[in-house]
Amino acid sequence: MEVILTEDYNEMSKISAGEIARQVRKKPNSVIGLATGSTPLGTYKELIRLHKEEGLDFSKVITFNLDEYLGLPPAHKESYNFFMWENLFKHININPENVHVPQGMVEDAEEFCEWYEKEIEKAGGIDLQLLGIGSDGHIAFNEPGSSFGSRTRVKTLEEQTIEDNSRFFNSIDEVPHFAITMGVGTILEARKIVLAANGKNKAQVCARFIEGPIDSQITASALQLHPHAVIVLDEAASSQLKRKKYYNWIRDNKHMVKKYLGR
Ligand code: GLP
């Protein structure tokens, strides 16, 4: 894993957006996996700026979102469909036909999940997957104990996740208990992964998944198995890491890294 330590949320967002922009410039019809939550908001703001001010072209980009609450229609203001249109899609030149967000109101969720997996495959697989992390270490909605081989499926949300996400709802009772989520196995198949995390409340879990053992109780630790995962942290989220000096040395000596590792 490449661990990039940044000063603050702004720099974390710029670096994460920069990774996506680089991918889109290199391959205009890239397949990009997208995430929701408060973490990627700055990343999406920066992508919108890059589109408006620097002409970053999304017209051929195909997107797949990680997850959606089961039981929320796309127009519900806390649905991830709504979030994505409000915070990114409506501000860029993406073709709506190229947008895929799991649907929360499907009749047959199992059939839908199979279809979603096939659509990812048909698109040629995900080139770059953006991720956040839940305070219990989940990626997408892969709660503790999720199999590292899991595919898109329905998942029951953990109490901690329901509590964390209740800040967006009128009351905790409104938070759905189920979601459709890409599996850990689905995520690990992306050719590149960028996980962003910020804030003190993510410090402990970041230290665990980056420097601790691979553990299905912290599903983000599955990224240790990925050959091309980039972790971008703000100062608060990185505060409990032990090897900060090492990560900073690599960042400060990029020219050498480029010479020997070719990136
Ligand atoms: C939700 C999403 C995750 C996200 C997590 C953290 O549970 N399913 O994809 O990473 O929240 O959200 P935040 O960025 O708001 O901390």
Side-chain angles (χ1 to χ4, degrees), residues 249 253-263:
W249 190 91
N253 292 277
K254 263 275 178 221
H255 57 288
M256 280 169 78
V257 174
K258 210 174 171 140
K259 184 170 159 203
Y260 293 116
L261 302 183
R263 60 185 163 86

Side-chain angles (χ1 to χ4, degrees), residues 35-40 66-67 69 80 131-135 138-141 143 161 165 167-168 196 198 201-202:
T36 50
S38 38
T39 308
L66 288 168
D67 47 12
Y69 291 113
Y80 287 169
L131 294 175
I133 183 169
S135 61
H138 70 230
I139 44 174
F141 269 132
E143 295 289 30
T161 302
N165 293 1
R167 70 190 193 274
F168 300 112
N198 67 286
N201 63 325
K202 300 284 173 73

Side-chain angles (χ1 to χ4, degrees), residues 6 27 65-66 69 78 88 90 100 126 139 150 152 154 158 166 176 178 180 210 246 249 254:
T6 68
K27 183 184 167 201
N65 260 81
L66 288 168
Y69 291 113
E78 295 315 332
L88 181 64
K90 78 174 188 189
H100 304 82
I126 294 172
I139 44 174
S150 54
T152 304
V154 172
E158 249 276 331
S166 66
F178 298 94
I180 286 182
I210 296 169
Y246 175 63
W249 190 91
K254 263 275 178 221

Side-chain angles (χ1 to χ4, degrees), residues 4 76 175 213 218:
I4 302 177
H76 190 289
V175 187
I218 303 282

Side-chain angles (χ1 to χ4, degrees), residues 77-96:
K77 74 174 196 8
E78 295 315 332
S79 78
Y80 287 169
N81 276 268
F82 189 86
F83 174 99
M84 287 310 301
W85 281 98
E86 276 307 295
N87 294 300
L88 181 64
F89 298 147
K90 78 174 188 189
H91 306 284
I92 58 174
N93 66 333
I94 196 143
N95 177 351

Side-chain angles (χ1 to χ4, degrees), residues 1-4 15-20 22-23 26 31-35 66 125-133 138-140 142 148 182-197 209-210 219-233 263:
M1 290 194 290
E2 182 182 359
V3 181
I4 302 177
I15 289 180
S16 307
E19 292 282 349
I20 296 174
R22 193 165 342 127
Q23 173 64 42
K26 189 171 75 184
V31 181
I32 306 287
L34 296 172
L66 288 168
I126 294 172
D127 290 304
L128 187 154
Q129 176 67 56
L130 178 67
L131 294 175
I133 183 169
H138 70 230
I139 44 174
N142 291 291
F148 286 0
M182 274 188 208
V184 180
T186 321
I187 293 169
L188 288 178
E189 275 173 19
R191 287 181 269 278
K192 184 170 185 177
I193 292 177
V194 176
L195 183 147
F209 95 85
I210 296 169
T219 53
S221 68
L223 301 190
Q224 293 181 25
L225 298 166
H226 195 279
H228 208 176
V230 180
I231 317 298
V232 193
L233 305 176
R263 60 185 163 86

